[in-house]
């Protein structure tokens, strides 16, 4: 399942991040710095040096927003989140079809993170560039994603995906991965649906004891299925 998260960052925060990313001394490097052997030949973009203080500072702001976002928590059931990276695509830049590596080592603490979910947080408005669509393949076909600045998309990291060539302007984004408490996508979606249903029963003042039973089922499934 692919989920968009509207307004993960508000406009002021996006503007503040962009000001630092667009500064002349921002440490942009070749995007292949973090690509594996299969991704490197098709990756043509730039990214902020992931070991730089700027990457850590801006990444922490993104993580703080994620931790406060109930939709992300409910959908992803995150265990660990990889420190956010930042990339940009100018005219002619693209990232061909690939599947993200299954395990990454966090530069922050050396821990291995299994990439269950991939995230892209858009930091350019769609009117600022042409091309640069994120295309994600799943069993229903190809989904073309281009969201307003501040919105994020979360999708299974097992999906084949690509970024089409930018033909005008600059596409700036943050991208990273999460290891979920629930490894299996289908199980995770069941828990997300159940959580949504429980929330709706609450706001519609439905039978309280039935709602309590469902909450119990939710937590008992989470206990059965989660790994930490
Ligand atoms: Ni990717």
């Amino acid at each position: 399942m692919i989920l968009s998260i509207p307004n993960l960052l508000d406009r002021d925060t996006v503007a503040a991040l962009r000001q630092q990313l667009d500064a002349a001394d921002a440490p942009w490097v070749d995007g292949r710095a973090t690509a594996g052997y299969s991704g490197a030949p098709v990756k043509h973009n730039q990214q902020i040096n992931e070991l730089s203080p700027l990457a850590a500072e801006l990444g922490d702001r993104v993580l703080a927003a994620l931790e406060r976002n109930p939709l992300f928590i409910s959908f992803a059931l995150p265990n660990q989140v990889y420190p956010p990276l930042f990339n940009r695509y100018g005219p002619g830049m693209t990232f061909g079809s690939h599947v993200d590596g299954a395990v990454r080592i966090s530069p922050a603490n050396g821990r291995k993170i299994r990439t269950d979910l991939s995230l892209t947080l858009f930091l350019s408005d769609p009117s600022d560039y042409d091309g640069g669509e994120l295309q994600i393949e799943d069993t229903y076909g190809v989904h073309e994603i281009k969201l307003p600045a501040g919105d994020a998309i979360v999708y299974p990291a097992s999906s084949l995906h690509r970024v089409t060539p930018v033909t005008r302007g600059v596409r700036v984004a943050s991208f990273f991965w999460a290891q979920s408490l629930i490894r299996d996508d289908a199980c995770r979606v069941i828990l997300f649906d159940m959580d949504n249903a429980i929330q709706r029963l609450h706001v519609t003042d439905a039978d309280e004891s039935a709602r309590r039973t469902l909450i119990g089922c939710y937590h008992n499934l989470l206990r059965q299925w989660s790994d930490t």
Side-chain angles (χ1 to χ4, degrees), residues 32 37-45 89 94-98 161 163:
R32 283 172 291 193
Y37 73 92
S38 65
V42 293
K43 188 174 185 183
H44 304 287
N45 66 2
Y89 295 77
T94 181
F95 196 165
S97 292
H98 65 282
H161 59 279
V163 176

Side-chain angles (χ1 to χ4, degrees), residues 38-173:
S38 65
V42 293
K43 188 174 185 183
H44 304 287
N45 66 2
Q46 296 178 306
Q47 63 193 40
I48 292 289
N49 180 350
E50 70 170 338
L51 301 175
S52 65
L54 181 64
E57 180 191 338
L58 301 188
D60 283 349
R61 294 189 72 169
V62 175
L63 289 179
L66 272 181
E67 284 165 10
R68 292 193 303 266
N69 191 284
L71 184 57
F72 171 73
I73 301 293
S74 173
F75 180 68
L77 293 168
N79 182 353
Q80 298 187 70
V81 180
Y82 192 87
L85 299 165
F86 297 86
N87 64 11
R88 72 178 176 191
Y89 295 77
M93 293 187 185
T94 181
F95 196 165
S97 292
H98 65 282
V99 171
D100 292 340
V103 177
R104 301 193 76 93
I105 297 174
S106 167
N109 55 23
R111 290 179 67 180
K112 295 191 178 82
I113 296 178
R114 188 185 64 232
T115 59
D116 296 321
L117 292 162
S118 295
L119 292 95
T120 295
L121 164 63
F122 291 81
L123 295 172
S124 291
D125 268 319
S127 60
D128 290 345
Y129 62 101
D130 293 327
E133 287 87 4
L134 173 62
Q135 294 183 339
I136 303 168
E137 295 187 23
D138 66 13
T139 50
Y140 296 102
V142 177
H143 305 268
E144 202 158 83
I145 317 281
K146 192 177 205 176
L147 298 179
D151 288 14
I153 192 90
V154 191
Y155 58 100
S158 53
S159 314
L160 193 64
H161 59 279
R162 57 194 157 266
V163 176
T164 64
V166 166
T167 57
R168 176 190 65 86
V170 179
R171 174 196 194 272
V172 180

